[in-house]
Amino acid sequence: MGTIQALCVSEKKGTLKKPVHRALFRTEWGIVGDAHAGNWHRQVSFLGQEEIEAFRRRGADVRFGSFGENIAADGFCFRELPVGSRLRCGEVWFEITQIGKECHKSCAIRQQVGDCIMPREGVFARVLHGGWITVGDTLTLADGEAMPLDAAVITASDKGSRGERIDQSGPKVRAMLEAAGYLVSDLVVLPDEREDIEHKLREYADRGIGLIVTTGGTGFSVRDVTPEATLAVCDRLAPGIPEAMRALSMQVTHRAMLSRAQAGICKRSLIVNLPGSVKAAGECLGFVLPELKHGIAILRGDAGECGRS
């Protein structure tokens, strides 16, 4: 366990980073506004405060960010942590992906401070769950600890968004999720506008919320666009989930074949579409809810594959 001593960002790669008091971390991206953030394995860099202090004792005038580190923390010798180790700071989770790196002699950092200790002492990580971190927050080694099971609910309804209809499906879904052990961080009612739904889905995925459930907008109406919004943001589809919901719902009503609900994966989040009516939303969620935890655990790296002996 240690304490965040500095958070640093830069607009360009290979330059000294500047300390900031607070930073927003985006799932599978890094720090918002930092040049090293991106869809790769070195999204965030860590450096121990003791290693920085040891360099200062050699007479060098270096500040936090001088070696290009994103996070400086005490209590850790980061190079001793093996690849795959997990770190947690509040709601933000990291997984170490690389120990040290190759440093070019002509890099701006080496030219300005005379040496670069990141290749020897620093580590790199990807963001598994996003959120805010503030200087002074506690950083913890989280190996063997499962990420909290969180969820968010979106109701797509023109009338509901205008206050002309009380949303009942969203609260029903939230109650079922909470009873199943999920921490529901948000419930929002949006109009049946594809861009609005896409934006909210991406926002939740950037935070790394494990399960994102939508209700409404899955039928044949011209305004029903939730499946299209879901397909637009997903990296991979999970067709077995809506197939199961439709197959089991067919035992209740043959109109279930008209559902266009989708399910898929965006970053570290699972998105599942449900019908808009309270009864159908509750039934469909009940059909698949027991299996979703295992899927989310696999997606987050907290569990193995689905095969059984």
Side-chain angles (χ1 to χ4, degrees), residues 65-77:
S66 292
F67 298 105
E69 76 277 9
N70 290 123
I71 297 177
D74 61 17
F76 287 92
C77 183

Side-chain angles (χ1 to χ4, degrees), residues 281-304:
E283 287 175 348
C284 287
L285 182 58
F287 293 147
V288 300
L289 188 55
E291 311 303 330
L292 298 184
K293 285 184 180 180
H294 185 62
I296 294 168
I298 294 174
L299 180 60
R300 289 175 157 182
D302 291 331

